[in-house]
Amino acid sequence: MPIMGEKKYECPLCNKGFTTEKYRDVHVNGHNGEKENQCKMCKATFLSKSHLTEHMKFHNKLSKKFLCSECGKRFIKNDYLVNHMRRHRGEKPFKCKYCGKGK
């Protein structure tokens, strides 16, 4: 039975592991210089149009509508703001079940 998140598809060029054959194939295309999706603002390139679309959200200030009242940093999702606010409060809600160390 496969383990959830197991990286059993390996890049033949750099040995990096991937959870799906599709992700591995997209990665291999990157080695071949096939990054056809370029950001018009910063010239970064991406293997897929969906990665470029996600990247563009970080450039688009209108999409960053969630504002931190402590430091003024903006976020594209409320969940990102909620996680960010934990830092201001010093919260570490995720603890290792073995050693108890928080993150």
Side-chain angles (χ1 to χ4, degrees):
M1 179 182 220
I3 300 169
M4 181 107 163
E6 181 181 11
K7 296 180 177 182
K8 64 181 184 176
Y9 298 95
E10 194 172 281
C11 173
L13 300 170
C14 72
N15 300 325
K16 184 173 180 178
F18 297 89
T19 56
T20 69
E21 194 172 6
K22 179 182 176 184
Y23 289 155
R24 188 230 19 232
D25 292 346
V26 168
H27 168 83
V28 170
N29 286 339
H31 283 295
N32 299 330
E34 295 180 22
K35 293 183 179 181
E36 300 172 357
N37 302 285
Q38 187 173 41
C39 173
K40 290 180 172 71
M41 297 179 80
C42 71
K43 304 301 182 204
T45 56
F46 300 90
L47 295 171
S48 71
K49 188 165 184 104
S50 63
H51 287 130
L52 173 60
T53 300
E54 201 57 32
H55 167 81
M56 291 307 295
K57 290 179 183 177
F58 291 97
H59 284 302
N60 184 353
K61 292 190 184 205
L62 295 175
S63 68
K64 292 183 178 182
K65 54 188 169 189
F66 300 97
L67 176 67
C68 174
S69 59
E70 296 286 323
C71 69
K73 188 170 182 177
R74 293 185 166 274
F75 299 89
I76 60 172
K77 293 183 179 180
N78 189 52
D79 291 350
Y80 297 167
L81 173 60
V82 170
N83 286 334
H84 170 80
M85 292 304 293
R86 288 181 180 138
R87 291 183 182 172
H88 288 299
R89 294 190 296 263
E91 294 177 16
K92 294 183 178 180
F94 305 105
K95 307 232 184 269
C96 173
K97 66 180 181 180
Y98 300 108
C99 71
K101 189 172 181 177
K103 183 177 178 186

